[in-house]
């Protein structure tokens, strides 16, 4: 069994599925010889050839549209946006075609494609390389939006994403690409694309998060535990469709919820979770819902970026507020 | 002076507006007069179909409809050159090509009548793309299809159509560029009908021809008289043959004219002169092929009348089938969204059904 | 004083501001001789010439980027996306440049531009002509997102949007473009871009909405009144920045809130309002928050579209549920 | 055969890699040797600056940095041809053009050092655009600027630079297309350095030259030796003059080579051979101009040494200024977002400040 980082798990899943299914192809900028700017596709072109690992011209619109075309014609393309900040030119094809093809044609054509993109801040990168913009996709019907936060979940969810018969947006939290290694068997076992993962059981407060922020959230749970506060930690993992039941069950138990994400607060995906709590869990809540998020500003260039991202300190403070409130 | 590259854009035409040959070297396929009659018949039925569609819209039985009046040579030329295994990625008015490939008028009516089932082609190749409203996007679908053929080693070609306006969109450029870079079997046909809604060709680009856009991508590029089906068909045949044999993609500009309004929601009198339209009618593609066929004794007024009557009957049947189609149930909006309906959506589906049933 | 429809109010505001400020220019597809496919720019090219009312090539990316360039160089462009469904190719320029230029350059350059787009469903239009996709912009820092729902608000808010020194996304609810006329003096008076409008006072339940849905919501309030239920109706009008205070004040009074919008529910902007209620108004709420929205599907082609859009019936039922709950 | 259009792409070069003239008709400006020395000096200082930047990055004092090594002739050629009132819309590595226009090295350091203030140019024209990371987008800003000039009747020109890779992006096509359609004073320079990170020119497009992309938009199009500053400058002068006098836009392809890694985050050895890079060094633009100036007795080793020392001193000063720049306070992330901070954001700003102060 291999000890792998999150990004190695991505590579492993890609290689596994390409070996298993000849219709899987990878395309994007620098995914070939270079193996991707983050090395996610390293070795794939050597193994599977230039016909299945394709360096495209530098145009995200092209990548997205060709991906739709490939998928509608029997391939299973995995497209890469080099950074989440460059995904905007892909949106028309994703929103108007990938997300709609099956519905439009009453099932005649479909788009079993995956769009991968390194996501989020905290790596001291240049402008446009640190955004958390999952909100772009979560309101679009017909998509799945996935954001793994560990090597094993990256492996299992990416396999599932590739196998899924519908389009999946797969954001990879680049800050934790190489944070730690985990034993991940290359066994081809996919994880479900419609469940949240409870990473830590607790009874006093529910901390809900996704992506790289899982790190700070787990640390916050540790810090709270040191003060005798028992925090349950949930990794949403698949934002769309949302497994609200798991969150709701937890809140029924704890009565308190802190939602943590690094995207800007207003209309970030945390709002949806808070909204469902306001609709469905009002009688379970012992305290107002809290959101600990990026500010409603652009993530600053890297000198200030860590002051933008939610910190353990902010999460702990919010959790304590929910306890003080009730 | 040192020259890095030189280019020529050919203009291809066989028949003048009166249907008289302007050159001698007619392509082989024109010798098969039965086939030429078949092409003509489809041009006529396309026009009958179009007239019927507009009538349906005017009487409230269709939503907005985009007419193909004047494009018959271009569209039938495209459709008739393709093989069934090829893929067509049209925009929204290329019925002539689609009817040739088996799309049924009733499907067109359903689509413009606000019913998704129009896109679920029953007789046309299942792999053909549906109508594409977001301008230009279909070009990239064709490029993707062409890439799929290349990857799988299939001898198939992807064809996309795009308007003069649409050829301004980055998607078109992206599609021809990747076709050139990857040597894909793509044929991109710019159906230049001089107008993009109210925007004339001259405001759309400073390029002398639209064909030359192909040069930017290193593709074969040719301009044809889009009202001369022989020219369109010849350029298509050549382009398809090249693409099929791995010799690369082509941009064809078919120069024609949109004789009708942009759609039934448009009133072209606001922005173009009747004189211009009248003048354009002198280049009517249907009239032109008919004149040539008549000069070959392959067609006459009697045949014309008989065929038109047949078309009318066909369209009446199609209209009836369309009008008889039962509405989709409310849950149809949920049932084709995902291969399998996610749990939270299943709940919404139940609610919608309950609401429909009066709770 | 003129009796004008909503779309005429748009034209009036454009003409007013173009006459007042020579740096205002209008650009888009068919905005010139044709006066726009909805006639929003009718007569402007005649009045102000081809240099100030510009028919662009058919490329939304071009329109958006040229708009940024114009705005950064001293003009005040008002760009039109012909339909909200065609705004996707504009997103890179809006998110990466318009929204960031001032921040990026520490105030040296800015983008005082407006992006107008007819918005929403219900007019029996073809595919892609009926979306409600305001969610695309509400999570992007640096933008304003405005959605008027009456002729006078269209006039005053559009003037404000054009005069605003920062980029504004201005969605126009096309379903009510010509629904009714209102007396709107062409007095150049702008409305504030950061307040919600209370359209009807009430004490039992707060109905919050925006855009064309204001129509159904007001009708629902009438229906509720007939049953002795007093509904307050708030037109959010400016989604970003959100004037939550006005909503909160109302909910303090009524204890109940129904949010109505036609965009898909999940991660629609209604979620943000519900989230703020869950954070800040928990102790004011007497009943769970309700959302009456489009389903999490694409708005169907027009045969079924009215079954997709929130109806008076659905709004009334939701309001009654909030009353039954407490 | 009827021909709709013909085109020629000229290749312009004055100096060969050894600095020897390859033609006689040198442009007027080359007679002013003082000016030519000035150009050379800026090429050298650009290189010294670049070396310093990389050193700063290697020692952890800068984030990712995009080197301009090898592009000096192209960049200085562009910058030196422009007037101050013209507008430059660069991508991210055109320092040679920017230094000429007054951007300070410390500003470049600030930007790549993770501080927005680098974009608030103090000496360069306030109207110049900041660095643009999203590939291609700046071309449309230049087109917009050019449109503003046209609307206001100003005799100014907008210049954008774009890479070989970037010229695949729809934005580039859109920019040149509207420039052609609206006859805008736009000069788009494709700095073709053969690589887009790891993707070679040949995978980027099937076009023989990148210059010919200009044909798609009906613009003037020319390919120049981008390592020969005389050729770059001449093409720029001509293009700017045409644009300024209302005769339309130009696409210039400057053929050069990226001698360094894509950025400091890249390792080009992964995807290209050292032999290729070594060969490219034989066409070094700095060496070439120096040889020519020396042949004209306008430059020598002593001057070289003295100037390099001066550059070193200058850069040291800039580095010091950079390193001494005090960090921005946390509220800086709020203070330039809107002209006036919305109320709900003001609240967040207070929270951020409180957090910073330890509550
Ligand atoms: C991306 C996008 N922008 C705008 C529109 C609205 N629109 C529909 S058709 C059209 C003009 C198309 O002109 P052209 O490409 O010449 O094709 P034609 O209609 O003449 O066949 C426009 C602007 C659209 N459908 N998609
Ligand atoms: C829209 C977008 N996509 C991807 C990137 C990532 N990226 C940065 S530079 C680069 C290659 C650019 O190559 P080229 O245009 O040739 O310019 P060069 O770096 O060679 O000067 C890529 C893919 C980006 N910055 N923007
Ligand atoms: Mg047209
Ligand atoms: Mg390059």
């Amino acid at each position: 069994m291999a000890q792998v980082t999150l990004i190695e798990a991505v590579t492993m899943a890609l290689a596994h599925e390409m070996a298993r299914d000849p219709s899987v192809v990878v395309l994007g900028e620098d995914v070939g010889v270079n193996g991707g700017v983050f090395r996610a596709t390293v070795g794939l072109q050597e193994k599977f050839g230039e016909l299945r690992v394709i360096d495209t011209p530098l145009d995200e619109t092209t990548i997205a549209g060709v991906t739709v075309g490939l998928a509608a014609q029997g391939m299973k393309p995995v497209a890469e946006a080099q950074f989440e900040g460059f995904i905007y030119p892909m949106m028309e094809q994703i929103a108007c075609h990938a997300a709609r093809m099956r519905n439009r044609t009453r099932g005649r054509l479909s788009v079993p494609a995956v769009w991968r993109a390194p996501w989020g801040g905290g790596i001291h990168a240049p402008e446009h390389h640190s955004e958390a913009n999952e909100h772009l996709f979560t309101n679009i019907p017909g998509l799945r939006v996935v954001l793994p936060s560990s090597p094993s979940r990256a492996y299992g969810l990416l396999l599932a994403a590739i196998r899924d018969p519908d389009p999946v947006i797969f954001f990879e939290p680049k800050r934790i690409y190489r944070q730690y290694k985990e034993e991940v068997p290359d066994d081809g076992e996919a994880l479900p694309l419609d469940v949240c993962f409870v990473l830590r059981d607790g009874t006093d407060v529910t901390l809900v998060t996704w992506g790289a922020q899982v790190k700070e959230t787990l640390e916050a749970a540790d810090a709270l535990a040191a003060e005798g506060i028992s925090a349950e930690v949930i990794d949403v993992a698949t934002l769309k469709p949302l497994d609200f039941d798991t969150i709701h069950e937890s809140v029924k138990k704890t009565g308190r919820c802190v939602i943590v994400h690094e995207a800007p607060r207003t209309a970030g995906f945390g709002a949806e979770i808070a909204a469902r709590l306001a609709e469905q869990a009002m009688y379970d809540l012992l305290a107002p819902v809290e959101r600990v998020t990026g500010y409603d500003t652009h993530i600053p260039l890297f000198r200030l970026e860590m002051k933008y991202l939610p910190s353990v300190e902010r999460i702990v403070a919010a959790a304590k507020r929910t306890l003080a409130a009730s | 002076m040192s020259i890095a590259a030189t280019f020529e854009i050919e203009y291809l035409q066989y028949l003048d507006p009166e249907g008289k040959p302007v050159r001698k070297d007619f392509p082989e396929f024109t010798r098969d007069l039965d086939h030429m009659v078949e092409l003509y018949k489809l041009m006529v039925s396309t026009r009958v179909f179009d007239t019927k569609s507009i009538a349906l819209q005017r009487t409230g039985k269709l939503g907005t409809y985009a007419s193909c009046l004047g494009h018959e040579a271009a569209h039938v030329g495209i459709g008739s050159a393709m093989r069934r295994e090829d893929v067509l990625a049209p925009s929204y008015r290329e019925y002539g090509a689609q009817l040739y490939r088996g799309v049924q008028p009733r499907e067109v009516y359903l689509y413009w009548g606000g019913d998704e089932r129009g896109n679920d082609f029953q007789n046309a190749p299942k792999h053909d793309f549906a109508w594409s409203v977001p301008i230009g996007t279909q070009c990239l679908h064709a490029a993707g299809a062409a890439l799929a053929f290349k990857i799988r080693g299939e001898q198939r070609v992807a064809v996309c159509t795009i308007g003069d306006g649409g050829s301004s969109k980055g998607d078109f450029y992206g599609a021809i560029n990747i076709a050139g870079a990857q040597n894909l079997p793509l044929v991109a046909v710019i159906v230049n009908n001089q107008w993009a809604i109210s925007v004339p060709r001259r405001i759309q680009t400073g390029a002398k021809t639209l064909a030359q856009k192909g040069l930017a991508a290193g593709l074969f590029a040719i301009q044809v008289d889009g009202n001369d089906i022989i020219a369109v068909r010849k350029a298509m045949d050549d382009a398809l043959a090249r693409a099929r044999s791995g010799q690369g993609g082509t941009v064809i500009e078919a120069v024609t004219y949109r004789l009708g309004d942009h759609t039934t929601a448009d009133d072209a009198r606001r922005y173009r002169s009747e004189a211009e339209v009248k003048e354009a009618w002198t280049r009517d593609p249907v009239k032109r092929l008919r004149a040539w066929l008549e000069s070959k004794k392959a067609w006459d007024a009697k045949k014309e009348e008989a065929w038109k009557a047949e078309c009318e009957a066909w369209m009446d049947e199609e209209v009836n089938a369309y009008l008889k189609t039962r509405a989709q149930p409310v849950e149809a909006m949920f049932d084709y969204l995902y291969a399998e309906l996610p749990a939270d959506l299943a709940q919404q589906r139940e609610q919608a059904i309950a609401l429909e049933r009066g709770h």
Side-chain angles (χ1 to χ4, degrees), chain A, chain B:
Chain A
M1 261 208 292
Q3 286 273 344
V4 296
T5 60
L6 197 158
I7 184 132
E8 287 164 351
V10 165
T11 316
M12 207 163 87
L14 288 171
H16 185 99
E17 211 49 18
M18 291 188 79
R20 204 184 66 86
D21 181 350
S23 65
V24 178
V25 296
V26 163
L27 71 162
E29 295 155 9
D30 305 291
V31 299
V33 177
N34 198 35
V37 294
F38 282 103
R39 337 286 307 124
T41 55
V42 76
L44 296 183
Q45 196 178 63
E46 264 177 322
K47 237 181 267 172
F48 301 104
E50 286 189 25
L51 282 176
R52 289 184 64 200
V53 182
I54 301 155
D55 274 327
T56 63
L58 205 175
D59 185 52
E60 281 74 14
T61 304
T62 298
I63 298 172
V66 162
T67 296
V68 169
L70 281 166
Q73 299 296 328
M75 306 300 291
K76 287 187 145 273
V78 182
E80 178 177 298
Q82 203 160 75
F83 286 84
E84 74 298 287
F86 308 134
I87 210 165
Y88 299 97
M90 297 187 161
M91 291 215 55
E92 183 175 44
Q93 287 286 348
I94 293 173
C96 298
H97 290 299
R100 303 176 72 122
M101 189 78 79
R102 181 188 295 280
N103 185 63
R104 169 186 298 145
T105 63
R106 303 284 91 163
R108 180 171 62 86
L109 296 173
S110 61
V111 181
V114 179
W115 277 264
R116 293 179 44 246
W119 168 97
I123 64 156
H124 265 216
E127 213 182 342
H128 305 285
H129 290 67
S130 304
E131 276 69 32
N133 50 16
E134 62 273 24
H135 78 96
L136 291 171
F137 302 100
T138 46
N139 187 247
I140 300 178
L143 297 180
R144 290 178 195 272
V145 181
V146 181
L147 240 158
S149 67
S150 76
S152 58
R153 286 193 292 283
Y155 178 80
L157 291 172
L158 184 51
L159 283 183
I162 301 174
R163 291 174 195 169
D164 193 86
D166 290 304
V168 179
I169 311 295
F170 194 85
F171 282 121
E172 299 163 6
K174 64 175 95 84
R175 179 157 60 93
I176 57 171
Y177 257 160
R178 298 183 169 84
Q179 194 197 327
Y180 65 94
K181 295 198 176 210
E182 214 179 39
E183 289 227 332
V184 182
D186 189 8
D187 55 8
E189 287 293 330
L191 287 167
L193 279 185
D194 54 4
V195 304
C196 298
F197 297 89
V198 179
L199 301 187
R200 178 183 177 127
D201 290 321
T203 51
D204 296 331
V205 58
T206 303
L207 309 180
V208 179
T209 189
W210 54 90
Q213 226 56 50
V214 163
K215 177 178 183 294
E216 281 71 26
T217 306
L218 285 169
E219 286 169 24
D222 281 343
L224 289 165
E227 300 189 44
I229 301 166
S230 164
E232 181 140 314
V233 176
I234 296 178
D235 173 17
V236 177
T238 296
L239 306 187
K240 186 179 183 77
L242 176 64
D243 165 24
F244 181 67
D245 285 349
T246 297
I247 297 168
H248 195 174
E249 283 311 310
S250 176
V251 172
K252 277 183 187 156
K253 184 170 63 173
T254 62
R256 298 170 189 89
C257 188
V258 178
I259 302 157
V260 183
H261 63 70
E262 58 177 276
R265 167 176 311 216
T266 294
F269 191 70
E272 177 60 27
I273 296 171
R276 294 211 193 173
L277 290 169
E279 290 170 332
Q280 300 175 41
M282 220 194 76
Y283 302 115
D284 306 307
L285 283 169
L286 302 169
V289 173
E290 290 269 345
R291 282 184 288 173
V292 179
T293 67
Y295 297 110
D296 280 324
T297 70
H298 300 289
I299 184 166
L301 291 192
F302 66 77
R303 286 286 175 89
L304 289 181
E305 74 175 328
M306 294 315 290
K307 301 195 172 170
Y308 174 90
L309 296 173
S311 59
V312 174
E313 185 187 2
R314 282 168 69 193
I315 302 167
V316 167
K320 287 191 183 165
R321 278 196 300 276
T322 66
L323 282 142
S326 50
Chain B
M1 197 166 96
S2 164
I3 300 302
T6 60
F7 306 98
E8 251 178 13
I9 302 292
E10 183 186 348
Y11 176 75
L12 190 64
Q13 188 195 32
Y14 291 93
L15 299 179
D16 75 6
E18 269 63 53
K20 301 240 160 60
V22 296
R23 53 195 280 171
K24 298 245 164 77
D25 56 340
F26 268 47
E28 188 61 30
F29 68 82
T30 57
R31 300 234 199 119
D32 179 352
L33 287 176
D34 287 348
H35 181 60
M36 294 310 292
V37 162
E38 197 199 320
L39 296 184
Y40 176 72
K41 283 166 94 175
L42 192 61
M43 285 171 67
V44 171
S45 50
T46 300
R47 187 164 285 186
V48 173
F49 155 80
D50 194 66
T51 310
K52 191 68 80 181
S53 309
I54 292 171
L56 278 176
Q57 192 281 332
R58 297 291 183 229
T59 52
K61 298 194 182 94
L62 221 55
T64 301
Y65 168 78
S67 157
C68 64
L69 188 66
H71 306 72
E72 296 84 357
H75 295 168
V76 175
I78 292 164
S80 67
M82 293 174 65
R83 294 193 190 155
R84 197 166 167 90
E85 70 261 28
D86 295 336
V87 162
L88 178 65
S91 61
Y92 39 80
R93 66 166 103 251
E94 293 84 349
Y95 316 115
Q98 293 184 303
L99 295 180
Y100 204 99
R101 290 178 69 70
V103 171
Q104 303 173 82
R106 69 186 69 176
E107 290 168 338
V108 188
Y109 298 146
L110 272 173
Y111 180 69
W112 293 111
D115 188 321
E116 289 82 358
R117 288 173 295 181
N119 278 318
D120 185 12
F121 305 153
Q122 296 304 312
N123 299 340
K126 287 283 178 197
H127 53 249
D128 270 11
F129 285 92
W131 290 285
S132 178
V133 169
I135 300 285
T137 51
Q138 73 278 6
C139 299
L140 287 165
H141 303 163
L147 182 53
F149 304 156
K150 178 181 161 185
I151 294 169
R152 294 193 297 248
E154 297 168 349
Q155 311 272 71
R156 299 164 65 190
V157 183
V159 176
C160 62
T161 54
I162 177 96
D164 43 313
S167 76
S168 292
K169 195 145 176 277
D171 306 51
F172 168 74
Y173 176 64
I176 61 173
N177 188 51
I178 194 169
Q182 291 275 339
N183 194 36
L184 302 181
L186 176 79
V187 178
V189 187
I190 304 174
V191 182
N192 173 6
N193 63 9
Q194 312 303 331
W195 292 91
I197 309 187
S198 73
V199 179
R201 155 72 179 78
R202 119 193 94 77
I203 294 191
Q204 200 64 239
T205 175
K208 191 173 171 204
T209 68
L210 300 182
Q212 75 204 53
K213 295 185 174 205
L215 302 180
L219 297 195
F220 293 92
I222 185 168
Q223 188 184 57
V224 307
D225 183 335
N227 294 329
D228 173 6
I229 193 170
I230 299 177
V232 175
R233 175 63 185 269
K234 174 69 166 82
M236 280 297 298
D237 281 351
D238 291 351
L240 287 164
R242 271 195 305 267
R244 211 177 300 283
S245 61
Q247 294 173 74
T250 302
V251 170
I252 298 173
E253 176 190 4
V255 181
T256 178
Y257 192 86
R258 196 192 78 208
L259 291 169
D261 292 332
H262 170 67
T263 64
T264 51
D266 176 50
D267 179 358
R269 287 170 306 184
R270 288 208 204 105
Y271 52 77
R272 67 181 189 187
S273 72
E274 294 194 25
E276 178 183 309
V277 181
K278 210 173 150 196
E279 201 273 330
W281 270 105
T282 65
R283 292 186 304 279
D284 176 6
V286 177
K287 185 189 77 174
R288 186 179 313 197
L289 184 59
R290 178 176 174 178
W292 184 76
L293 287 174
E294 289 186 349
S295 79
K296 298 270 171 202
K297 310 283 179 248
W299 196 254
D300 56 32
K302 230 178 93 189
K303 284 183 179 158
E304 178 84 9
E305 207 179 312
W307 177 242
K308 277 198 171 149
E310 225 176 289
C311 290
E312 291 286 347
W314 176 23
M315 293 314 150
D316 284 343
E317 198 185 312
E318 292 293 319
V319 168
N320 279 337
Y322 160 63
L323 294 175
K324 277 202 321 243
T325 311
R326 280 187 37 210
Q328 299 179 102
V330 68
E331 61 267 30
M333 72 173 98
F334 297 91
D335 290 346
Y336 305 91
L337 194 57
Y338 296 92
E340 211 176 309
L341 202 65
D344 58 348
L345 211 49
Q347 239 179 320
Q348 292 186 15
R349 182 176 181 277
E350 290 315 309
Q351 284 163 14
I353 293 173
L355 203 66
E356 188 66 6
R357 296 215 183 103
H359 325 255

